Each structure stands twice: as C-alpha cells, then as structure tokens.
Amino acid sequence: MPVWQALVYGVVQGLAEFLPISSSAHLRFVSAAFGWDDPGAAFTAIIQIGTELAVLVYFARDIGRIVLAWLLSLIGRRKGDPDARMGWLIILGSIPIVVLGLVFQSRIETTFRDLRIVAIALVSFSLLLYWADRVGVKKGQLGDLTVGDGIIFGFAQSLALIPGVSRSGGTITAGLFIGYTREAAARYSFLLAIPAVLGSGLYEAYDSLKGGGAQTVEWGPTALATVISFAVGLSVIAWLLRYLTHGSFTPFVVYRIVVGLLVLGLVGAGVIPAN
C-alpha cells in the first residue's frame, strides 16, 4: 500500500467514523472505486484505534471522571454516583458486540464485505435513522440512561459488524427511538464505542504481529492511516456535537441513500466487483 493510499484511507476513516454514514462501508467503497485491493477487516479495525484515541482526547475529562468513579464503586465507594453508573452501563453495552463479533468473525472478514450487502445496509438503515429522527421525543439525557437502555444501545452497536450500518448511526438511531436527544445519543455512542473499537483494533494488531491473522497487515501504511484518522476524527467530533444542537440527520440520510444506490448500480452494471 503506497503512502498516498494510506493517507486517503486515514482521511476517510476520520471523516466517516463519527458521522452516521459507516466508515467501514466507505473504506470498502473507496477501495472498489479506485480499483484497489480491499484493505480488509483487520486494517479497518486497526486504523479505528486512531479515531477512538480522538474520543479519549476529546472526552478526557469525562472519561477520567467515569473511570475513577467506577473503580471506587468496586470497593464499595460512590456506588450511587452517576459516573460510576455510566461506567457499568458502558461495560454492559459493550457485551453484545464482543460476543457477536467473536461468533461471526469469519463472516465479518468475508461475507459481510460484499458490496451489495454493504450498500443495502447503508440505504436500509438510513431509512431507520430518518424515521427515528422524526418520531423520537428527544428529551432524554445521559443521566436518564437505564440498564435496559444500555442493553438496547449495545445491541444496536453490534449491528455495525455489518459494514454499511454505521456504529454511530446504529446507536444514535436506537437512542432516538427510545427518546434521547440527538446530542445525548451521539455522546453515549462515542463513549460506548471505546471498549469495543479499541479491543477489536488491539486484538487484530496483536493477531497480525504474532502472525496468526487471516490477513497481512502492512504496518507502515497502517500506522500512517491511524495517525491521520486520529487528527481528522478529533475535528469531526467537535463539529458534529455542535451541529446536533440544532441540526437534523436528514443530510446524512440523503447522502447514504444516494451513495448506496450508486454503489448498487455500479455493481449491477459490472463496473465494480461485489467482492
């Protein structure tokens, strides 16, 4: 993988990870559009470490407070603290994607990367996002999260194992359906992704380093793409949270539908291969 190609992947990952448009789908689309080899699930998982580091930096104060409160809750202190509770809810919400990711690992690396599946997921879940944005009451804040809500968010996040669904899009859609504001749903989506994405990326990195991975990882380009995704992702988080205080998800819905139908048309016409 040449340096300029790694730069493109890094920018795409940074732009698309937090917007509800699916970064894994866009990495797949970009590779197909330019006739490049599919970068693969391992490469995608590893460069997502960059965008999750952006979350750690942007929410450093909140995360530090949550971690401290959670640790103190383990020794019987601050059990009723909202931050300690948030820590437990993040752990609870991370369980579905960990379990399903292990169960469907081989399909994630092969079947689910078929461009037809990716494009259909992009279009169909955009319609769900649009519906949720229209019917959701948008009153709930992070302090209102319940155990049941955490489980719902967790299963919604696990749908992002299929490229095209979008990790942020899936969890935000679920949040809107159960009554949370756009900004609250987005914030929890970002926090909830930390264990799953970092865990997946570090696992793939370890697996590749020890030579057990199904896919070969070129470490120079991968490291560069990870750094670029961090820098771009940090800017996108700040912009999106400001935008969601007054803007809707309609522009993202329209974009997803247009891109998804375009990809389906190109695959159907034989311009780009499905696999």
Side-chain angles (χ1 to χ4, degrees):
M1 183 185 296
V3 169
W4 60 269
Q5 192 170 323
L7 286 170
V8 171
Y9 282 139
V11 171
V12 171
Q13 169 62 29
L15 286 173
E17 174 66 20
F18 303 113
L19 303 180
I21 59 175
S22 181
S23 61
S24 55
H26 279 72
L27 291 172
R28 185 72 183 86
F29 293 159
V30 166
S31 64
F34 287 101
W36 302 338
D37 290 336
D38 181 354
F43 173 86
T44 300
I46 293 170
I47 70 170
Q48 284 177 344
I49 293 175
T51 41
E52 287 316 300
L53 289 177
V55 174
L56 291 177
V57 170
Y58 189 86
F59 293 104
R61 185 173 298 177
D62 294 337
I63 293 169
R65 198 176 60 245
I66 290 169
V67 170
L68 177 60
W70 178 78
L71 289 173
L72 289 174
S73 74
L74 295 177
I75 58 175
R77 298 172 58 187
R78 296 175 66 172
K79 282 188 175 180
D81 189 293
D83 288 324
R85 189 164 170 275
M86 177 61 72
W88 285 111
L89 287 172
I90 290 172
I91 292 171
L92 177 66
S94 299
I95 294 173
I97 197 169
V98 172
V99 174
L100 294 175
L102 291 173
V103 171
F104 293 104
Q105 183 177 5
S106 62
R107 290 186 178 276
I108 292 167
E109 296 175 347
T110 54
T111 307
F112 292 167
R113 299 187 69 79
D114 184 302
L115 280 179
R116 291 163 296 190
I117 293 176
V118 176
I120 289 171
L122 197 70
V123 173
S124 58
F125 278 88
S126 70
L127 299 178
L128 281 176
L129 176 59
Y130 181 80
W131 183 22
D133 202 25
R134 287 292 173 272
V135 303
V137 296
K138 304 181 187 69
K139 292 182 179 179
Q141 300 297 330
L142 288 185
D144 302 321
L145 278 169
T146 65
V147 171
D149 294 342
I151 293 172
I152 291 172
F153 271 108
F155 275 103
Q157 177 180 237
S158 67
L159 293 173
L161 293 169
I162 303 172
V165 173
S166 170
R167 189 185 315 277
S168 62
T171 49
I172 289 170
T173 297
L176 292 172
F177 270 130
I178 57 179
Y180 287 88
T181 66
R182 296 183 182 111
E183 187 180 6
R187 282 180 176 272
Y188 185 62
S189 170
F190 297 160
L191 294 173
L192 182 61
I194 294 172
V197 176
L198 285 181
S200 174
L202 293 173
Y203 170 79
E204 291 288 0
Y206 170 76
D207 206 31
S208 298
L209 283 170
K210 75 173 186 178
Q215 301 165 339
T216 301
V217 173
E218 298 179 70
W219 288 104
T222 301
L224 176 61
T226 302
V227 171
I228 296 299
S229 73
F230 164 79
V232 175
L234 193 58
S235 299
V236 172
I237 293 173
W239 175 83
L240 182 62
L241 290 177
R242 286 196 304 271
Y243 170 79
L244 291 181
T245 59
H246 58 81
S248 76
F249 287 107
T250 301
F252 303 111
V253 170
V254 173
Y255 172 80
R256 286 176 61 124
I257 292 173
V258 170
V259 172
L261 294 178
L262 176 61
V263 170
L264 282 174
L266 291 173
V267 172
V271 177
I272 56 176
N275 297 293

